[in-house]
Amino acid sequence: MADSAEDLPRRGDFAVLWPITTRWADNDVYGHVNNVVHYSWFDTAVNGWLIRATGADIRDFPEIGLVVETNCRYLAELGFPEDVEVGVGLERVGNTSVVYRLAVFGGGADEPASVGRFVHVYVDRETRRPVRVPERIRTALAGLRPFES
């Protein structure tokens, strides 16, 4: 992950910006969006985008992407009500895995409120053994802007 402000991704670094509206329940007792909500947004953005980009319901594929790693760095507070966008980018495509680079942007800001990674490992739905990233997923991934790890 980026270590300095100069290394942080900006809104324009992402080909995909997935819109999300904060909910009343997203705020915690401290008056800002709770940290676990950012992870939910990552999951929603990646899988929502995959469904749109493949033109199919990924839940019906014989191969499924299991989340094996996530991380998030929080940089600014967000709250309710607020419209946010999750930037979805590609860090790496391996034989059986995909590493996404993500950033949450609030209120049209160019700087992210949080940045993270999200790793899918593809497995056979029945056996849960790793399989090659499906071609229809690989084709969709070509639409993402790559980031260096």
Side-chain angles (χ1 to χ4, degrees):
M1 286 305 314
D3 291 322
S4 68
E6 298 82 36
D7 294 332
L8 292 173
R10 300 284 198 238
R11 176 184 293 279
D13 294 333
F14 293 91
V16 172
L17 291 165
W18 191 265
I20 294 177
T21 300
T22 61
R23 304 167 305 158
W24 177 261
D26 293 339
N27 276 16
D28 62 20
V29 69
Y30 303 113
H32 60 254
V33 170
N34 189 271
N35 59 329
V36 299
V37 175
H38 291 250
Y39 286 101
S40 174
W41 291 343
F42 290 168
D43 202 19
T44 297
V46 167
N47 288 298
W49 174 79
L50 279 172
I51 289 169
R52 285 215 180 129
T54 62
D57 191 336
I58 59 172
R59 294 169 291 192
D60 297 333
F61 289 3
E63 316 88 358
I64 55 175
L66 298 181
V67 176
V68 299
E69 178 185 337
T70 60
N71 71 29
C72 184
R73 285 185 48 218
Y74 305 97
L75 306 165
E77 291 185 350
L78 297 169
F80 174 84
E82 191 167 355
D83 292 327
V84 300
E85 292 177 302
V86 179
V88 180
L90 182 63
E91 191 170 302
R92 187 178 78 76
V93 179
N95 187 42
T96 62
S97 65
V98 178
V99 181
Y100 296 94
R101 179 82 180 270
L102 302 153
V104 175
F105 300 94
D110 189 44
E111 298 82 23
S114 65
V115 294
R117 292 174 78 234
F118 191 86
V119 181
H120 268 159
V121 168
Y122 280 85
V123 300
D124 178 273
R125 173 183 299 281
E126 301 302 320
T127 67
R128 294 298 206 253
R129 300 296 305 152
V131 297
R132 180 173 163 77
V133 175
E135 287 307 314
R136 55 191 150 194
I137 299 292
R138 288 177 182 277
T139 299
L141 293 171
L144 293 181
R145 193 161 296 145
F147 284 87
E148 293 187 24
S149 46

